[in-house]
Amino acid sequence: MQSRPTPRVFVSYSHDSDEHRRRVLDLIQALRRNGVDAWADFFVESDPPANWPVWMQSQVEDADYVLTVVTETYARRFNQKEVPGIGAGVRWEGTLVTADIYYGTTEKVKYIPVIFSSTDFEHIPTPLKMTNRYVVSPDDDSSLIPLLRHLLQAPEFVPGQIGEAPPLVSRESSSGASATIDPRIVTAIHLSESDPNQALDDLTELLNSLRGSQRAFAYCAMGEIHQRMGLWAPALTAYQRTLESNPDKQTAEIAARNMRFAVDAMNFHFREGGPVDTANKFVRAVKKKKFNRSWELLTPKFRLVLAQAWIWANRDHESLALYDRDDLAKSLSSLKSNHPLARDFAAIQLGEFQTAFPSIDETWGAASNPRPIGIDYELVVLSPTGGDIMIFDEDSGPVQTAPFLMRQMMGEWRVENFWPAYHIPGWPPTREEIPADVSNFTIVQNAEVSETESD
């Protein structure tokens, strides 16, 4: 696939508080992780420019987009209603933005208001209210998807490709003429929008009666349905059979293009350091009783939740009464804890890991289908495949599996959970289930966040 150009984005914000600055910085770093060259004064504070107003003006002019992080304070300064001498940066940026909107000749939306809470809608300055605005959470990359689609010019819906017009003729000249595409294929394609599995069954049954380009078109339609369902391996098989079935030029081009896209998705899923490889590394570390290695392959949030669960289970134990539980959880969840209870906690946690994955060995591999869950999250399903890629289907019956929720952090994949659910730290820790089809799985591990008591 052709990569999109990286947009340059300047972030304008007000210095409301240290917490607000942290959230703005988290937003900028999240955008950068997801393909956006986001920039702000954070990155030049150690080497400040000789003239801040000139620097701001050049940043606004050079940016493809300017994100304005709106709060009540930001709006007051943008609208020149702040006490003199306070918030000069936002006042100056507000002047630049307002002037560019008023005198600008381009129809492109350059200035995009962003808010951290829907209650700040009312504070968006009037010049910025005439375009899209976005509510984002710097702590949740999935909330960035609408904004990222805007910045990366990646619409959720695109117009379908215009094909060649079929050789339609009037009834007067030839009432028996038919369209190029078999109408039964068209019916199945329409059905796939509401019932993709039934559409696949219908197309499979049709294959026996189709020949040549019609058969190729049906295979291509099956590939696209599989692809929309996230079933990459059967999609690849369908596209391969498309190319083997004497397709017309347009169908061949579509199949070849979609094959490249599917192969890219599969390579990303299975590459070294990818989500599948990281899940396998975690299991191997557990099997070899290497706690430190397995522990570092978990996300910081998962480590914190495991520590909290252990502390909560043993909250009445005399050995824990000496410590503040928040400080204890923070210490035990670190990568190299020197806390007096760290050794006991590590031994118990490693034992739980080993108990949770008793049957997973070198004969296990990953299910073929990448299962993305929002930005930076993916569900990896390990199964006894003999090391090969495995394709699930509804007729294969229950399959032994071990699901891992994986999260990408700063370009590296880590284990977020042993089940499709987001962890919520607390006393006790809880979780939010993620909608995921595991109805055909026989889950072999018992790796819930447990409340194992200390000896």
Side-chain angles (χ1 to χ4, degrees):
M1 294 186 299
Q2 185 177 2
S3 61
R4 298 185 179 92
T6 302
R8 175 74 170 190
V9 172
F10 179 63
V11 179
S12 171
Y13 69 101
S14 53
H15 294 210
D16 296 31
S17 64
D18 290 342
E19 175 64 18
H20 182 64
R21 277 172 54 82
R22 184 196 65 78
R23 296 193 76 190
V24 173
L25 179 58
D26 288 347
L27 169 64
I28 293 170
Q29 301 291 35
L31 290 172
R32 295 186 67 84
R33 287 198 304 273
N34 290 287
V36 175
D37 183 11
W39 202 258
D41 57 4
F42 293 100
F43 306 129
V44 294
E45 288 178 341
S46 61
D47 185 22
N51 191 315
W52 275 110
V54 173
W55 179 85
M56 293 177 189
Q57 182 174 359
S58 66
Q59 294 299 310
V60 170
E61 291 175 350
D62 294 344
D64 296 304
Y65 300 96
V66 176
L67 298 188
T68 59
V69 183
V70 177
T71 61
E72 183 177 4
T73 300
Y74 184 93
R76 188 170 60 249
R77 295 173 183 176
F78 186 100
N79 293 323
Q80 312 291 322
K81 295 181 179 180
E82 183 60 278
V83 175
I86 299 178
V90 172
R91 290 205 307 273
W92 174 239
E93 290 168 5
T95 300
L96 295 174
V97 170
T98 303
D100 195 19
I101 292 175
Y102 185 81
Y103 292 106
T105 57
T106 178
E107 295 183 356
K108 177 182 177 181
V109 177
K110 179 174 181 176
Y111 301 98
I112 305 172
V114 169
I115 55 179
F116 292 147
S117 170
S118 58
T119 58
D120 284 321
F121 271 132
E122 61 182 285
H123 301 309
I124 297 176
T126 300
L128 300 175
K129 286 183 176 178
M130 295 179 286
T131 184
N132 289 12
R133 62 263 194 182
Y134 298 93
V135 182
V136 302
S137 172
D139 301 324
D140 179 10
D141 282 6
S142 63
S143 73
L144 298 178
I145 293 177
L147 175 60
L148 286 171
R149 289 193 180 280
H150 187 151
L151 300 177
L152 298 172
Q153 294 294 285
E156 183 176 3
F157 303 103
V158 297
Q161 184 173 358
I162 299 176
E164 296 181 6
L168 301 175
V169 295
S170 65
R171 292 181 181 273
E172 289 78 5
S173 60
S174 177
S175 60
S178 61
T180 300
I181 304 173
D182 190 302
R184 295 173 297 175
I185 300 177
V186 175
T187 299
I189 293 174
H190 290 162
L191 177 61
S192 69
E193 298 296 331
S194 59
D195 192 347
N197 288 316
Q198 184 59 54
L200 288 171
D201 290 343
D202 293 349
L203 287 169
T204 301
E205 186 175 348
L206 277 177
L207 289 172
N208 293 327
S209 61
L210 299 174
R211 296 292 182 271
S213 61
Q214 295 284 355
R215 186 178 179 86
F217 192 89
Y219 271 127
C220 190
M222 293 174 68
E224 291 192 335
I225 295 171
H226 280 304
Q227 193 165 332
R228 289 203 306 271
M229 297 170 68
L231 305 176
W232 299 101
L236 282 172
T237 300
Y239 292 137
Q240 182 62 41
R241 290 176 179 171
T242 300
L243 299 177
E244 295 170 353
S245 301
N246 192 29
D248 58 37
K249 180 180 179 181
Q250 182 179 348
T251 303
E253 289 176 351
I254 293 173
R257 180 194 65 207
N258 289 351
M259 279 188 72
R260 289 192 296 271
F261 184 85
V263 168
D264 286 344
M266 295 285 281
N267 288 340
F268 179 82
H269 189 62
F270 291 102
R271 77 188 192 284
E272 183 177 358
V276 172
D277 181 56
T278 303
N280 278 319
K281 286 178 179 176
F282 171 81
V283 173
R284 288 196 296 269
V286 170
K287 289 291 184 180
K288 294 179 181 179
K289 301 181 180 180
K290 295 182 177 180
F291 175 77
N292 289 341
R293 176 55 175 158
S294 63
W295 194 241
E296 70 180 11
L297 291 173
L298 305 181
T299 65
K301 181 189 289 185
F302 194 9
R303 296 199 303 266
L304 176 62
V305 164
L306 289 171
Q308 288 177 333
W310 182 74
I311 294 169
W312 184 257
N314 298 281
R315 56 191 179 277
D316 297 326
H317 199 285
E318 60 182 11
S319 63
L320 273 68
L322 301 174
Y323 307 103
D324 177 85
R325 65 184 185 184
D326 288 314
D327 292 339
L328 177 58
K330 182 178 179 181
S331 178
L332 294 181
S333 65
S334 63
L335 288 178
K336 295 182 179 179
S337 176
N338 57 3
H339 195 278
L341 297 179
R343 185 183 297 273
D344 292 338
F345 171 71
I348 292 173
Q349 197 62 65
L350 178 61
E352 287 192 355
F353 288 161
Q354 291 177 311
T355 302
F357 306 101
S359 60
I360 301 179
D361 56 27
E362 64 277 1
T363 67
W364 282 56
S368 65
N369 304 324
R371 298 167 182 263
I373 302 175
I375 293 179
D376 287 343
Y377 287 90
E378 190 161 311
L379 185 64
V380 168
V381 182
L382 299 184
S383 306
T385 66
D388 296 328
I389 293 176
M390 183 173 186
I391 301 175
F392 291 126
D393 59 57
E394 294 183 349
D395 298 327
S396 60
V399 179
Q400 281 191 318
T401 61
F404 290 79
L405 179 63
M406 309 298 294
R407 183 181 182 185
Q408 186 174 218
M409 305 181 66
M410 303 299 291
E412 295 185 344
W413 287 93
R414 293 291 181 263
V415 179
E416 175 80 353
N417 200 350
F418 306 130
W419 184 256
Y422 298 117
H423 281 305
I424 303 174
W427 302 104
T430 56
R431 69 182 190 182
E432 178 186 352
E433 295 286 341
I434 298 172
D437 183 10
V438 293
S439 59
N440 206 39
F441 300 165
T442 298
I443 309 301
V444 300
Q445 90 267 34
N446 182 20
E448 301 293 326
V449 174
S450 58
E451 297 184 0
T452 304
E453 295 187 2
S454 176
D455 295 333

